[in-house]
Amino acid sequence: MSASASSGEPAAPWDEAVGPSDTSPPSPTPSYTPSSASSSTLTPPPPPEPPSASTSPRPAPQAAPPPPPPSAVPPALDKFTLYETRTRFYIVASNQADSRHRVLKIDRTTGSELVVTEDEVVYSNRQIHDLLKMIEDGNRSTGGLTKVINFYGIVGFIRFTASYYFILITKRSAVALVGGHYVYHIDETMLLTVAPAGASEGGTEEARLLDSFCKYFYFSYTYDITSSLQRNLTSPPPPPTSSSSSPTSQSAWGFTSRYVWNTHLLSPAFGDGSCGRSSWVLPIVHGFVDQSKLVVFGRTVYVTLIARRSRHFAGARYLKRGVNEHGHVANEVETEQIVSEALTTPFHAGAARPSPRYTSYLQYRGSIPVFWSQDPQMNLKPMIDIAPVDPFFSAAAVHFNDLFARYGAPVFVLNLIKSKERVPRESKLLHEFNECIAYLNQFLPDEHKLRYIAWDMSKAAKGDQDVISVLEDIAEESLETTGFFHSGRAPASHSLAGELSGGSAAEPRNTILLQRGILRTNCVDCLDRTNAAQFVIGKAAFGHQLHALGIIAHPRLMFDSDAVNMLTEMYHDHGDTIALQYGGSALVNRVETYRKIGQWNSHSRDMVENIRRYYANSLLDADKQAAIDLFLGADPPKRAITHTQAPPCRYRNWFDPAHLVQAPTVEEAQRRMEQVASQGAGYWLTYYRPRLFTSLGRHFAGTMNSTVKYLPKGPKERLDLSPFRPRLSLPQMPIKPFAPVKRWMSLQGRSSRSSRKSKLEAVSDTGREGEDGNMSESGAAGGAPSMEKLVQALLDPKVDEEEMREYEWYLDQDQFTALGDGHGANQHATSAVDLDLYEAAVDVGERLAAPDPHPDPIYVHYVASVAHPPGERRPALEAYVGGRSGVGVGVGD
């Protein structure tokens, strides 16, 4: 990414170097003076004046510089070092090439007030060393300058009871690579107090809550993970707006405010986000990020899954339900599925042209947007309380209007809650949600009405209905309407396939594809059923994305193939993570449950996860909610089941007609992609890291999860390496201790009446009737023979003629295969007759493999004798041998 220094008068970060004992000003230090050209000029500044005693520190946030032009991007800072003196903290940030450095100063003498000074000067490597040396010399009498720690970014600043603290990222791990931009997971953080050493710190309970909550957070230095790929490539940056002006503000520091979870933590030092992008602001996203590699005969395809959890109305399962007065729903997660071919890494290809190898699909989950709640202390399955009742559904109207603004029209609503219950719980929500959709739809234009689908998925799974097929039909319908994003034109293979098939060649698509609309999925918790449905929808989108890239000929993928197995594993991890964040346990019902395979594996696991979820909801959710409220700066609710009344709104014209207009157009999106492609100047330094030795074995692109692990182990099974061909081996069932015994007993129960009836019939009939016609002793027990008769029948069995002939054939069959080596090496060598029989059998086999148009009569006689009982096959073969030796015909001759 290109970098440019901001205009304006730079601050002097060395003002602390002039200590009380210093009598002379420090030596001049070179400064960076921006010019109109791309190059910069280094000019020594005049010596700074010593600060007067009346000078007061400038509190943060200070006046922000004017935002950079659209073509300029702040330098990516990804290496940070913290230094401290007795009265100040210094944070030095550097880019990957160590060619640009920035300085941030934090005052430690202001007590409870946070004072942060951002130096606008961009320093070179030599200049930053001279600056740090000067600060150390100026503070030598008070302990000098001490290096504290190297870290990877600033999460933000938070105030506890005594003073401010700042949270630093001390450990990270790469989890995804999107267009050459790394996405990292925050592994460890550090909490440091701004107060000087020896001051009373306090806030231990708050620090414990924050430490327990800082999990599943992700960030990127150069890629905006708060926005979708389509928005990053085709839409201009959002205009700077104040995050405090409206609860539905869409932008903070140029990022999507809804998914910037450290907005509250960054605001004390960097303002309310209305000043545009800043090199120090590192937005973090709460949710899930995973990436896998699909190998297709040498072609590499990256599959990335990004889940962004909204910070609005965030919380634990039973403490955040339904919708709030601003239209924000509980458990709101936006899931993006990015499929890209790794032929070229960046978003541009060639001479600043947009790369045509990126596709993306968005889907959405969120709680039912009506006012409802549950009290977890009342029951194992708490009753649902729908209150207050809003006949105009004002909060739902705000919610769907926001969906139109973010994703466009149409909006599909897939409602999976139960329709019938013995004790009405979910069914009450179904009735309320049906009325809500019916009320809102009556004011929308026909072409933009909410596409509402209510389907009892739990009932269908328990019955004979094919759940997966129904979901696939819904997915295909929504994909056909909303589409998905593709950054290029259709590949040439699409038109070529039509020509090769003999059909009429369709006109190839010469423009990009844009997704217009969204599919919204929900159940009562938006966890188990929702994740299974989103996987099926993602699987359908996966096929269309691969087809758009020219990887496969038809946009339909089969289950149990390597590609679908990889996607299933990713969605399982995605669902487990979302469920842990909201419900306190992993998924209870997975995709295999609705496919009705591997159910023996899932029963015990589902029971354990249900117990974990109930334990977390009953005992741990209060602390989790307190940690979330502390992190987000939200006021804790007085009661979990209380909702404030929704503000007045337009009851009939509840939507903004401008949100229903398709924007941007395809032409505008293509022009914006060309602008983005021309801004990749600093990409190579960030991705390839020329100053860092990295072996290919340790590079993230080579170590990510891949479909190679699904390949069969044996070389004989590797006849078909296609990742789209279903494997014959299904998931193995667990071996139960008594499974063989139960199977044997079931077989005995079925076969004893048929196979043993003929053998025991004579024994049982001997005691049926006596001379007086009454039942004898052997038939006293319901016709069952006595033990003595049973033993006698087993010792002297009665074998019929057919069984005898089969037994004789079994004894004679060895004569056709037990042949010697012809040299006396085998002491069991057979006679020459057996060799003739073997040669005749070989002759017959060759004749069957290559039929003779004019076979001899003896061969025809033998082939006809194959249908005879086994005991008659040997004479027929001997006759064939005799005829073969007499007439001199056969292949062997």
Side-chain angles (χ1 to χ4, degrees):
M1 302 178 65
S2 62
S4 64
S6 302
S7 61
E9 193 66 21
W14 54 81
D15 54 357
E16 187 191 357
V18 185
S21 59
D22 295 328
T23 57
S24 60
S27 58
T29 303
S31 66
Y32 179 77
T33 303
S35 62
S36 58
S38 58
S39 60
S40 59
T41 305
L42 295 178
T43 57
E49 295 294 334
S52 60
S54 61
T55 302
S56 60
R58 181 174 52 178
Q62 55 181 323
S71 60
V73 181
L77 307 177
D78 56 0
K79 296 188 296 184
F80 300 82
T81 304
L82 178 64
Y83 299 91
E84 70 170 341
T85 64
R86 186 176 181 85
T87 57
R88 288 180 177 86
F89 279 114
Y90 291 92
I91 299 178
V92 177
S94 310
N95 63 346
Q96 189 59 233
D98 283 329
S99 60
R100 294 176 177 270
H101 305 270
R102 297 284 302 273
V103 178
L104 189 72
K105 183 177 66 175
I106 305 173
D107 201 330
R108 307 178 66 182
T109 61
T110 56
S112 59
E113 184 181 2
L114 179 64
V115 179
V116 177
T117 304
E118 180 181 355
D119 185 7
E120 299 296 338
V121 177
V122 179
Y123 295 93
S124 66
N125 199 12
R126 180 178 62 86
Q127 291 171 342
I128 198 66
H129 281 86
D130 294 343
L131 176 63
L132 295 176
K133 177 64 176 175
M134 184 177 56
I135 296 176
E136 181 178 7
D137 294 340
N139 293 272
R140 193 176 302 276
S141 60
T142 58
L145 182 69
T146 305
K147 178 180 177 180
V148 179
I149 191 175
N150 294 324
F151 60 100
Y152 298 105
I154 303 174
V155 176
F157 299 82
I158 187 171
R159 181 177 181 178
F160 293 154
T161 55
S163 63
Y164 273 94
Y165 291 73
F166 54 100
I167 308 172
L168 308 178
I169 303 173
T170 57
K171 188 176 181 181
R172 68 183 184 187
S173 58
V175 293
L177 185 63
V178 182
H181 304 274
Y182 281 99
V183 179
Y184 297 94
H185 175 262
I186 298 179
D187 296 334
E188 292 181 5
T189 58
M190 174 180 287
L191 192 68
L192 294 177
T193 180
V194 179
S200 176
E201 298 183 0
T204 56
E205 178 65 18
E206 292 87 346
R208 182 189 66 83
L209 291 176
L210 278 182
D211 184 67
S212 65
F213 177 65
C214 288
K215 299 176 182 178
Y216 308 112
F217 284 100
Y218 303 87
F219 69 94
S220 177
Y221 298 109
T222 55
Y223 180 73
D224 182 11
I225 61 174
T226 66
S227 301
S228 64
L229 179 65
Q230 174 175 325
R231 181 173 181 180
N232 285 332
L233 296 184
T234 64
S235 300
T241 56
S242 174
S243 60
S244 60
S245 60
S246 155
T248 59
S249 174
Q250 296 296 314
S251 175
W253 299 284
F255 302 100
T256 305
S257 174
R258 179 180 300 273
Y259 304 117
V260 181
W261 272 65
N262 54 341
T263 301
H264 170 69
L265 302 179
L266 292 172
S267 57
F270 306 106
D272 56 5
S274 60
C275 57
R277 295 286 175 94
S278 172
S279 300
W280 297 98
V281 172
L282 189 64
I284 62 174
V285 171
H286 190 39
F288 174 79
V289 177
D290 191 17
Q291 189 174 51
S292 296
K293 182 167 52 177
L294 177 64
V295 180
V296 188
F297 298 108
R299 301 176 68 176
T300 302
V301 178
Y302 289 160
V303 182
T304 310
L305 210 60
I306 302 177
R308 308 175 182 93
R309 179 178 293 277
S310 173
R311 66 182 178 90
H312 301 303
F313 205 52
R317 180 188 180 195
Y318 284 128
L319 302 179
K320 293 293 182 179
R321 291 294 213 187
V323 67
N324 66 359
E325 64 274 12
H326 301 293
H328 304 305
V329 295
N331 198 19
E332 177 184 351
V333 181
E334 177 189 89
T335 300
E336 182 178 16
Q337 181 176 295
I338 302 175
V339 180
S340 59
E341 187 178 2
L343 188 60
T344 56
T345 305
F347 291 129
H348 57 85
R353 292 185 297 105
S355 174
R357 301 178 181 89
Y358 283 89
T359 63
S360 171
Y361 178 72
L362 282 175
Q363 50 182 326
Y364 178 93
R365 73 169 70 183
S367 186
I368 296 177
V370 296
F371 293 116
W372 63 281
S373 59
Q374 287 178 287
D375 190 352
Q377 306 299 329
M378 298 299 295
N379 194 359
L380 180 62
K381 291 184 177 181
M383 300 300 296
I384 293 178
D385 179 24
I386 301 178
V389 177
D390 182 8
F392 303 104
F393 302 100
S394 304
V398 176
H399 170 72
F400 284 110
N401 186 42
D402 182 65
L403 291 184
F404 284 138
R406 289 153 58 188
Y407 305 110
V411 173
F412 283 80
V413 181
L414 179 57
N415 187 12
L416 304 175
I417 63 177
K418 298 177 182 179
S419 58
K420 292 183 180 180
E421 298 171 293
R422 289 182 298 179
V423 179
R425 294 177 58 252
E426 298 183 21
S427 55
K428 296 193 301 183
L429 279 177
L430 176 63
H431 176 72
E432 189 75 10
F433 200 18
N434 290 344
E435 290 187 351
C436 172
I437 297 296
Y439 174 80
L440 298 178
N441 263 342
Q442 63 181 334
F443 306 113
L444 283 170
D446 292 338
E447 64 274 14
H448 298 307
K449 289 184 182 295
L450 301 173
R451 312 287 181 88
Y452 181 61
I453 304 172
W455 179 52
D456 191 344
M457 184 175 176
S458 179
K459 179 181 178 182
K462 295 177 181 178
D464 297 332
Q465 192 173 3
D466 190 352
V467 175
I468 303 299
S469 297
V470 175
L471 291 175
E472 285 179 339
D473 294 340
I474 297 174
E476 290 295 336
E477 180 185 356
S478 64
L479 277 167
E480 183 180 356
T481 305
T482 64
F484 59 94
F485 170 68
H486 181 207
S487 62
R489 63 181 61 183
S493 58
H494 289 186
S495 57
L496 182 61
E499 296 176 1
L500 295 178
S501 61
S504 59
E507 186 69 21
R509 174 174 52 85
N510 294 321
T511 60
I512 64 175
L513 284 178
L514 296 177
Q515 180 176 352
R516 310 283 194 182
I518 196 72
L519 174 57
R520 185 192 193 278
T521 309
N522 72 265
C523 55
V524 66
D525 293 321
C526 301
L527 296 179
D528 307 321
R529 286 167 284 179
T530 299
N531 195 77
Q534 286 197 335
F535 160 72
V536 178
I537 297 166
K539 171 181 168 294
F542 188 31
H544 284 273
Q545 289 173 288
L546 292 174
H547 179 256
L549 294 174
I551 305 295
I552 57 179
H554 302 283
R556 184 173 179 84
L557 299 176
M558 303 299 293
F559 278 100
D560 300 316
S561 61
D562 295 344
V564 176
N565 288 339
M566 179 195 70
L567 190 69
T568 304
E569 184 178 346
M570 295 178 67
Y571 269 92
H572 279 172
D573 296 339
H574 165 266
D576 286 339
T577 304
I578 298 301
L580 282 170
Q581 295 168 3
Y582 184 65
S585 72
L587 290 174
V588 174
N589 295 319
R590 296 174 178 265
V591 178
E592 288 79 5
T593 304
Y594 300 101
R595 290 186 62 194
K596 300 182 180 179
I597 61 174
Q599 298 186 25
W600 291 98
N601 288 337
S602 61
H603 286 327
S604 58
R605 184 190 57 81
D606 291 348
M607 183 180 299
V608 173
E609 294 302 331
N610 270 321
I611 295 174
R612 289 183 57 188
R613 187 172 294 183
Y614 176 72
Y615 172 78
N617 298 153
S618 302
L619 302 178
L620 304 180
D621 278 0
D623 286 347
K624 179 192 292 187
Q625 189 65 52
I628 294 175
D629 293 337
L630 180 65
F631 194 91
L632 298 176
D635 296 329
K638 298 180 180 179
R639 287 200 313 135
I641 62 174
T642 300
H643 295 279
T644 58
Q645 184 64 33
C649 69
R650 297 173 296 176
Y651 299 126
R652 296 178 58 87
N653 300 324
W654 56 268
F655 59 93
D656 189 348
H659 297 163
L660 305 180
V661 180
Q662 294 184 357
T665 63
V666 174
E667 292 75 14
E668 293 173 350
Q670 287 181 332
R671 287 195 297 268
R672 174 59 186 168
M673 288 180 60
E674 294 175 358
Q675 296 177 3
V676 174
S678 62
Q679 297 177 4
Y683 154 76
W684 305 107
L685 294 178
T686 304
Y687 176 66
Y688 287 103
R689 303 184 179 184
R691 295 179 178 269
L692 178 66
F693 172 77
T694 304
S695 62
L696 295 178
R698 298 182 59 186
H699 199 274
F700 176 75
T703 58
M704 72 172 64
N705 186 27
S706 173
T707 53
V708 176
K709 71 176 185 178
Y710 297 106
L711 292 177
K713 302 300 181 183
K716 294 183 179 180
E717 290 80 6
R718 295 191 178 185
L719 300 179
D720 189 357
L721 301 181
S722 172
F724 308 111
R725 188 67 58 86
R727 303 296 177 187
L728 297 179
S729 58
L730 295 176
Q732 298 294 328
M733 300 294 292
I735 299 178
K736 300 294 182 180
F738 296 100
V741 180
K742 293 181 179 179
R743 183 175 181 273
W744 177 81
M745 293 177 63
S746 62
L747 293 177
Q748 294 301 314
R750 290 195 300 266
S751 61
S752 60
R753 291 183 294 271
S754 58
S755 62
R756 296 185 180 181
K757 182 177 181 180
S758 60
K759 298 181 180 180
L760 302 180
E761 189 175 10
V763 179
S764 59
D765 289 343
T766 55
R768 295 287 178 140
E769 297 183 8
E771 295 181 356
D772 55 355
N774 296 328
M775 190 70 75
S776 63
E777 179 183 358
S778 61
S786 64
M787 182 60 67
E788 297 175 357
K789 298 293 183 180
L790 180 61
V791 173
Q792 183 180 358
L794 293 177
L795 292 177
D796 187 15
K798 293 184 179 182
V799 183
D800 55 12
E801 185 178 357
E802 183 180 357
E803 290 187 16
M804 183 64 69
R805 287 198 304 268
E806 184 177 357
Y807 181 68
E808 290 177 355
W809 175 83
Y810 176 77
L811 295 178
D812 295 340
Q813 68 173 348
D814 192 52
Q815 299 182 13
F816 298 96
T817 56
L819 303 178
D821 55 5
H823 300 282
N826 191 348
Q827 59 179 353
H828 300 290
T830 58
S831 61
V833 178
D834 294 329
L835 291 176
D836 292 339
L837 294 175
Y838 175 73
E839 293 177 0
V842 173
D843 184 17
V844 172
E846 292 180 353
R847 285 174 177 267
L848 292 176
D852 190 356
H854 303 289
D856 56 273
I858 301 177
Y859 173 75
V860 175
H861 173 70
Y862 172 75
V863 174
S865 67
V866 174
H868 293 176
E872 300 179 7
R873 294 177 185 174
R874 181 182 177 89
L877 185 58
E878 291 176 350
Y880 176 68
V881 172
R884 178 172 174 270
S885 59
V887 298
V889 296
V891 180
D893 297 336

Short mmCIF file of all heavy atoms in Angstrom, two decimals, residues 313-320 620-631 634 636-637:
data_model
loop_
_atom_site.label_atom_id
_atom_site.label_comp_id
_atom_site.label_asym_id
_atom_site.label_seq_id
_atom_site.Cartn_x
_atom_site.Cartn_y
_atom_site.Cartn_z
N PHE A 313 -26.11 -4.82 20.49
CA PHE A 313 -26.99 -5.77 21.17
C PHE A 313 -26.30 -7.13 21.32
O PHE A 313 -26.92 -8.19 21.14
CB PHE A 313 -28.32 -5.91 20.44
CG PHE A 313 -29.45 -6.36 21.32
CD1 PHE A 313 -29.72 -5.71 22.51
CD2 PHE A 313 -30.24 -7.43 20.97
CE1 PHE A 313 -30.77 -6.12 23.32
CE2 PHE A 313 -31.29 -7.85 21.76
CZ PHE A 313 -31.55 -7.19 22.95
N ALA A 314 -25.00 -7.10 21.66
CA ALA A 314 -24.22 -8.33 21.82
C ALA A 314 -24.32 -8.82 23.26
O ALA A 314 -24.45 -8.02 24.19
CB ALA A 314 -22.76 -8.08 21.46
N GLY A 315 -24.27 -10.12 23.41
CA GLY A 315 -24.32 -10.67 24.75
C GLY A 315 -24.52 -12.17 24.75
O GLY A 315 -24.41 -12.85 23.72
N ALA A 316 -24.82 -12.69 25.93
CA ALA A 316 -25.00 -14.13 26.12
C ALA A 316 -26.40 -14.56 25.70
O ALA A 316 -27.28 -13.74 25.43
CB ALA A 316 -24.72 -14.51 27.58
N ARG A 317 -26.60 -15.85 25.68
CA ARG A 317 -27.78 -16.46 25.06
C ARG A 317 -29.10 -15.98 25.66
O ARG A 317 -29.93 -15.37 24.98
CB ARG A 317 -27.66 -17.97 25.17
CG ARG A 317 -28.81 -18.75 24.57
CD ARG A 317 -28.68 -20.22 24.91
NE ARG A 317 -29.76 -21.04 24.37
CZ ARG A 317 -30.01 -22.27 24.76
NH1 ARG A 317 -29.26 -22.83 25.69
NH2 ARG A 317 -31.02 -22.95 24.23
N TYR A 318 -29.31 -16.22 26.97
CA TYR A 318 -30.59 -15.89 27.58
C TYR A 318 -30.68 -14.43 28.00
O TYR A 318 -31.76 -13.96 28.35
CB TYR A 318 -30.84 -16.78 28.79
CG TYR A 318 -31.25 -18.18 28.43
CD1 TYR A 318 -30.58 -19.28 28.96
CD2 TYR A 318 -32.30 -18.42 27.56
CE1 TYR A 318 -30.95 -20.58 28.62
CE2 TYR A 318 -32.68 -19.70 27.21
CZ TYR A 318 -31.99 -20.78 27.75
OH TYR A 318 -32.36 -22.06 27.41
N LEU A 319 -29.53 -13.72 27.97
CA LEU A 319 -29.55 -12.32 28.38
C LEU A 319 -29.76 -11.36 27.21
O LEU A 319 -30.02 -10.18 27.42
CB LEU A 319 -28.25 -11.98 29.10
CG LEU A 319 -27.97 -12.83 30.35
CD1 LEU A 319 -26.65 -12.43 30.98
CD2 LEU A 319 -29.10 -12.70 31.36
N LYS A 320 -29.60 -11.84 26.00
CA LYS A 320 -29.83 -11.01 24.80
C LYS A 320 -30.69 -11.83 23.84
O LYS A 320 -30.21 -12.78 23.21
CB LYS A 320 -28.50 -10.61 24.14
CG LYS A 320 -27.64 -9.68 24.97
CD LYS A 320 -28.29 -8.31 25.14
CE LYS A 320 -27.38 -7.38 25.95
NZ LYS A 320 -27.97 -6.04 26.10
N LEU A 620 -22.42 -19.03 34.18
CA LEU A 620 -21.32 -18.25 33.62
C LEU A 620 -21.74 -17.07 32.76
O LEU A 620 -20.93 -16.21 32.46
CB LEU A 620 -20.41 -19.17 32.78
CG LEU A 620 -19.85 -20.41 33.47
CD1 LEU A 620 -18.99 -21.20 32.51
CD2 LEU A 620 -19.06 -20.02 34.72
N ASP A 621 -23.01 -17.04 32.35
CA ASP A 621 -23.42 -15.98 31.42
C ASP A 621 -23.41 -14.60 32.06
O ASP A 621 -23.24 -13.60 31.35
CB ASP A 621 -24.83 -16.28 30.89
CG ASP A 621 -24.78 -17.27 29.73
OD1 ASP A 621 -23.67 -17.69 29.38
OD2 ASP A 621 -25.85 -17.63 29.21
N ALA A 622 -23.59 -14.51 33.34
CA ALA A 622 -23.59 -13.19 33.99
C ALA A 622 -22.22 -12.55 33.88
O ALA A 622 -22.10 -11.36 33.53
CB ALA A 622 -24.01 -13.33 35.45
N ASP A 623 -21.15 -13.31 34.17
CA ASP A 623 -19.80 -12.77 34.02
C ASP A 623 -19.46 -12.48 32.56
O ASP A 623 -18.79 -11.49 32.26
CB ASP A 623 -18.78 -13.75 34.61
CG ASP A 623 -18.78 -13.75 36.13
OD1 ASP A 623 -19.39 -12.82 36.70
OD2 ASP A 623 -18.20 -14.67 36.73
N LYS A 624 -19.91 -13.34 31.65
CA LYS A 624 -19.66 -13.09 30.24
C LYS A 624 -20.33 -11.81 29.78
O LYS A 624 -19.73 -11.01 29.05
CB LYS A 624 -20.16 -14.27 29.40
CG LYS A 624 -19.95 -14.08 27.90
CD LYS A 624 -20.71 -15.10 27.09
CE LYS A 624 -20.16 -16.48 27.27
NZ LYS A 624 -20.79 -17.45 26.33
N GLN A 625 -21.55 -11.59 30.21
CA GLN A 625 -22.26 -10.37 29.82
C GLN A 625 -21.58 -9.14 30.40
O GLN A 625 -21.48 -8.10 29.75
CB GLN A 625 -23.71 -10.44 30.27
CG GLN A 625 -24.59 -9.32 29.75
CD GLN A 625 -24.74 -9.37 28.24
OE1 GLN A 625 -25.09 -10.39 27.68
NE2 GLN A 625 -24.45 -8.25 27.58
N ALA A 626 -21.10 -9.25 31.64
CA ALA A 626 -20.39 -8.12 32.25
C ALA A 626 -19.11 -7.81 31.49
O ALA A 626 -18.76 -6.63 31.31
CB ALA A 626 -20.09 -8.43 33.72
N ALA A 627 -18.39 -8.84 31.04
CA ALA A 627 -17.16 -8.61 30.28
C ALA A 627 -17.47 -7.97 28.93
O ALA A 627 -16.76 -7.06 28.49
CB ALA A 627 -16.43 -9.93 30.09
N ILE A 628 -18.54 -8.41 28.27
CA ILE A 628 -18.90 -7.82 26.98
C ILE A 628 -19.31 -6.36 27.15
O ILE A 628 -18.90 -5.49 26.36
CB ILE A 628 -20.03 -8.65 26.33
CG1 ILE A 628 -19.54 -10.05 25.97
CG2 ILE A 628 -20.57 -7.94 25.09
CD1 ILE A 628 -20.61 -10.96 25.45
N ASP A 629 -20.11 -6.07 28.17
CA ASP A 629 -20.52 -4.69 28.41
C ASP A 629 -19.32 -3.81 28.74
O ASP A 629 -19.26 -2.64 28.32
CB ASP A 629 -21.54 -4.64 29.54
CG ASP A 629 -22.85 -5.31 29.16
OD1 ASP A 629 -23.13 -5.42 27.96
OD2 ASP A 629 -23.58 -5.75 30.08
N LEU A 630 -18.35 -4.35 29.49
CA LEU A 630 -17.15 -3.59 29.81
C LEU A 630 -16.33 -3.32 28.57
O LEU A 630 -15.80 -2.22 28.38
CB LEU A 630 -16.33 -4.34 30.86
CG LEU A 630 -15.02 -3.68 31.31
CD1 LEU A 630 -15.30 -2.38 32.05
CD2 LEU A 630 -14.22 -4.64 32.19
N PHE A 631 -16.20 -4.31 27.71
CA PHE A 631 -15.40 -4.17 26.49
C PHE A 631 -16.04 -3.18 25.52
O PHE A 631 -15.36 -2.37 24.89
CB PHE A 631 -15.26 -5.54 25.83
CG PHE A 631 -14.20 -5.60 24.78
CD1 PHE A 631 -12.91 -5.97 25.09
CD2 PHE A 631 -14.50 -5.30 23.46
CE1 PHE A 631 -11.93 -6.04 24.11
CE2 PHE A 631 -13.54 -5.36 22.47
CZ PHE A 631 -12.24 -5.73 22.80
N ALA A 634 -20.97 -0.63 27.07
CA ALA A 634 -22.43 -0.60 27.12
C ALA A 634 -22.89 -0.58 28.56
O ALA A 634 -22.24 -1.13 29.46
CB ALA A 634 -23.01 -1.83 26.40
N PRO A 636 -24.93 -1.90 31.52
CA PRO A 636 -25.57 -3.19 31.81
C PRO A 636 -27.06 -3.01 32.06
O PRO A 636 -27.49 -2.05 32.71
CB PRO A 636 -24.84 -3.66 33.08
CG PRO A 636 -24.30 -2.42 33.69
CD PRO A 636 -24.00 -1.49 32.56
N PRO A 637 -27.89 -3.90 31.53
CA PRO A 637 -29.34 -3.78 31.74
C PRO A 637 -29.71 -4.07 33.18
O PRO A 637 -29.07 -4.88 33.86
CB PRO A 637 -29.92 -4.83 30.78
CG PRO A 637 -28.83 -5.83 30.62
CD PRO A 637 -27.54 -5.08 30.72
#
